[in-house]
Amino acid sequence: MRVTIISPGIVRTNFIEGITNQEVRNRLARVRDDLGMPPEAVARAIAFAIEQPDDIDVNEIVPRRKCKKTIWERKSWL
């Protein structure tokens, strides 16, 4: 048996739809839209782990989007 931990960063999903506080929801939407990676990127990481030969175990994958700006340049969503 092989087990892989997948710990993605921010992903562009509908996760925030369950949040009732509109201010929090709007802030998370801005962060998601600015920093989020497409769900397909996570799917590719999962496929990579699954496609390995039986004698290879991918223990952990931490996909993150490569940022174009530093966090200090992103003050608009803080």
Side-chain angles (χ1 to χ4, degrees), residues 6-78:
I6 311 267
S7 303
I10 300 167
V11 181
R12 289 186 220 131
T13 66
N14 62 354
F15 170 77
I16 64 170
E17 290 181 7
I19 296 174
T20 57
N21 182 311
Q22 194 62 44
E23 181 181 342
V24 172
R25 187 175 177 164
N26 291 342
R27 185 173 290 196
L28 288 174
R30 285 192 304 271
V31 171
R32 177 203 59 204
D33 295 343
D34 192 32
L35 297 176
M37 68 180 124
E40 295 82 13
V42 179
R44 286 191 305 270
I46 293 168
F48 171 79
I50 292 171
E51 292 168 353
Q52 298 309 302
D54 289 341
D55 62 336
I56 300 297
D57 186 18
V58 178
N59 296 103
E60 187 170 3
I61 297 177
V62 186
R64 302 274 190 261
R65 182 171 172 226
K66 181 179 175 185
C67 294
K68 297 177 185 175
K69 298 179 183 178
T70 67
I71 192 161
W72 307 114
E73 295 171 311
R74 297 178 187 277
K75 292 182 181 176
S76 64
W77 54 261
L78 293 177

